[in-house]
Amino acid sequence: MNVESLVRDTLREQAAGQRAVEPGFADRVLAVRRRRRRVRGLASVAAVVTTVIAIAVGVPLLDSGRDSGRHEPPAAGNGISAHPDQSPPRDLIAAGDVALAAYYTAETVERTAGEGVSRRTYWLLDPATGRYEKDDRWSYVAVAPGMRTAAVLERDLPADRIGILDLATGDVDRWVKVGHGVGGLAYSRDGGRIVATTYDENPDLRVRVQAAEGGGEAWMSESGGTSRTGFLVLDVVTDESTWSAVPAGRDVNAREDFAFSRTGQLVYSRVVGERDGLQRFYDLSGAKTAAPADERYLRSDVPARLSPDGRLAALGLAKERKDTSWSSIRDPRTGEEVTEVRGATLLAWADDRRLIAWERAPGVAEYRPRLVLVTLGSDEVTQLSGTRVPDDDFDRQEWEPVFVTR
């Protein structure tokens, strides 16, 4: 099977490729909204029905009544919003069906002598202006598909509640209390659920150690495994949740968060081993299980994973020559390579033929990445962001992108 036949088949099947909403989803939405908003009458019910329809067809619905002066976010499609002169970005970066919904930096902050915590600072996309605004209230942010809301955790981890943030207003719509300390968050592909990774201690703790070279000191994750206890699955409509214990062995680092499989029927996390990118799957009761047939060859350290139609798998770096990199694209069910595509790290599928990737800036001896759009069957790249320049302070983490389906 070659790239041309895959693209041809994809175009024929794309119209039928919408994933169905889970059975009873609309009924659950209506039931909950009736209980919460009974006094608001028929107008409220009509708004809820409209929301259900928007979720079912997978199109973000704009709340035009809140502020008549707001601008609509860019519609999904082939459009590209690039700012190759900006690093970190100030204005919207997007291509095809995905957008840079947020980015964050991290810096280790000393708490006591010899102990610190890695502290993230987020910049979130303002849908009204198309610009990224600093929001330093949160230790962790997961943006929902559609980019209207985000799940957030307060500064002190593990947190005992999860906030649902309205990205248009910057206000927390509601807080959901949970019975276990939470340290990480991830949405399901349809946006209907959140998997929250639970910990007994802050997974971002650092200890000061003597550096191997130069005689200086550096911050390192605490050794001795992890305080991870399991995961909690939260229904974003009903706010109901279930928790599952997952014993953590020595092959799990201090922070190893869970994420949903493509169908949402399983969760997975990275494990440490002789090969990079290893992952382990669990059912929603916390029991170990085999990887799904179309995810068994994926890598936990390649964020793009499966193409929107599920026919192609984004894998790791295949080769480099001077300042040019190529990554592998494989058949997800056989693991056989279909082609190679430009890019050092594949971050997100823009559509079934294009991906957003980190690629090194040309003409620079050291690795300095920039966001680019790459296309199957082509060596051309479209630069989306400026070049990320490394910080001389190893205790600081350069800006990391968060891509979400729009």
Side-chain angles (χ1 to χ4, degrees):
M1 181 179 292
N2 55 33
V3 174
E4 288 74 14
S5 64
L6 283 171
V7 172
R8 194 163 50 246
D9 291 344
T10 295
L11 292 174
R12 284 198 298 265
E13 297 173 4
Q14 195 167 22
Q18 291 284 352
R19 182 170 177 265
V21 178
E22 295 177 357
F25 185 75
D27 293 336
R28 288 191 297 130
V29 176
L30 288 171
V32 172
R33 297 308 188 207
R34 287 193 194 103
R35 290 197 301 270
R36 291 181 177 173
R37 303 178 180 175
R38 190 180 303 275
V39 297
R40 298 187 183 178
L42 292 176
S44 177
V45 174
V48 173
V49 173
T50 306
T51 302
V52 174
I53 294 172
I55 294 172
V57 299
V59 178
L61 185 64
L62 298 175
D63 185 4
S64 58
R66 183 167 291 168
D67 183 352
S68 60
R70 283 171 50 193
H71 302 289
E72 295 188 359
N78 293 327
I80 299 172
S81 179
H83 297 282
D85 60 332
Q86 298 180 11
S87 178
R90 299 182 299 277
D91 301 292
L92 173 69
I93 289 177
D97 296 331
V98 298
L100 181 70
Y103 65 87
Y104 66 89
T105 61
E107 182 176 7
T108 299
V109 178
E110 189 169 33
R111 299 201 311 181
T112 61
E115 183 181 88
V117 63
S118 179
R119 179 187 176 101
R120 295 186 182 188
T121 300
Y122 282 86
W123 280 258
L124 306 179
L125 180 67
D126 184 334
T129 64
R131 294 178 64 87
Y132 298 98
E133 303 294 343
K134 184 177 180 179
D135 191 342
D136 60 3
R137 293 174 291 174
W138 318 117
S139 65
Y140 202 98
V141 176
V143 181
M147 303 191 305
R148 297 186 64 211
T149 60
V152 296
L153 299 178
E154 292 169 288
R155 275 294 175 196
D156 293 333
L157 296 180
D160 63 357
R161 62 180 186 172
I162 298 171
I164 305 300
L165 180 71
D166 185 326
L167 292 174
T169 66
D171 297 329
V172 175
D173 179 61
R174 66 186 186 279
W175 289 101
V176 182
K177 293 284 290 185
V178 292
H180 299 267
V182 174
L185 304 167
Y187 275 91
S188 60
R189 189 164 177 254
D190 64 4
R193 292 172 298 158
I194 295 169
V195 59
T197 307
T198 59
Y199 295 88
D200 276 339
E201 297 179 353
N202 192 328
D204 298 322
L205 291 178
R206 302 288 186 265
V207 292
R208 194 182 293 278
V209 298
Q210 192 72 25
E213 299 178 2
E217 295 182 330
W219 292 103
M220 300 289 291
S221 296
E222 287 193 305
S223 60
T226 179
S227 69
R228 193 182 74 181
T229 58
F231 62 86
L232 180 146
V233 176
L234 172 69
D235 187 308
V236 300
V237 176
T238 65
D239 289 347
E240 296 175 352
S241 64
T242 58
W243 180 78
S244 299
V246 177
R250 302 287 293 186
D251 58 355
V252 178
N253 287 329
R255 173 183 281 282
E256 293 296 356
D257 294 334
F258 290 99
F260 282 108
S261 66
R262 185 178 179 87
T263 64
Q265 296 176 352
L266 305 174
V267 298
Y268 70 92
S269 71
R270 186 182 73 151
V271 293
V272 179
E274 296 180 358
R275 293 186 294 110
D276 292 335
L278 295 177
Q279 55 189 358
R280 182 176 295 144
F281 286 82
Y282 302 84
D283 65 24
L284 298 186
S285 71
K288 291 181 185 178
T289 188
D294 57 354
E295 297 186 58
R296 60 182 300 189
Y297 295 106
L298 299 181
R299 292 174 53 132
S300 62
D301 56 352
V302 179
R305 298 180 75 81
L306 291 173
S307 60
D309 64 4
R311 297 170 64 88
L312 296 172
L315 271 296
L317 183 68
K319 62 183 179 183
E320 286 186 293
R321 185 171 63 243
K322 293 184 178 179
D323 52 15
T324 305
S325 306
W326 288 267
S327 288
S328 181
I329 301 294
R330 296 179 180 266
D331 184 314
R333 291 184 173 268
T334 67
E336 295 181 2
E337 185 169 271
V338 175
T339 187
E340 291 178 349
V341 70
R342 283 290 306 274
T345 304
L346 303 179
L347 300 172
W349 289 88
D351 51 43
D352 292 321
R353 295 186 62 242
R354 301 180 300 166
L355 301 100
I356 296 176
W358 282 124
E359 174 64 309
R360 66 188 306 152
V364 181
E366 64 180 326
Y367 179 73
R368 293 188 177 184
R370 56 194 179 146
L371 293 177
V372 298
L373 182 68
V374 298
T375 304
L376 301 183
S378 172
D379 280 343
E380 296 298 317
V381 301
T382 299
Q383 186 175 345
L384 299 177
S385 79
T387 301
R388 194 175 70 174
V389 179
D391 196 316
D392 291 335
D393 188 344
F394 292 106
D395 293 332
R396 293 180 184 151
Q397 182 177 349
E398 300 139 24
W399 64 275
E400 287 290 337
V402 178
F403 285 99
V404 175
T405 303
R406 52 177 172 159

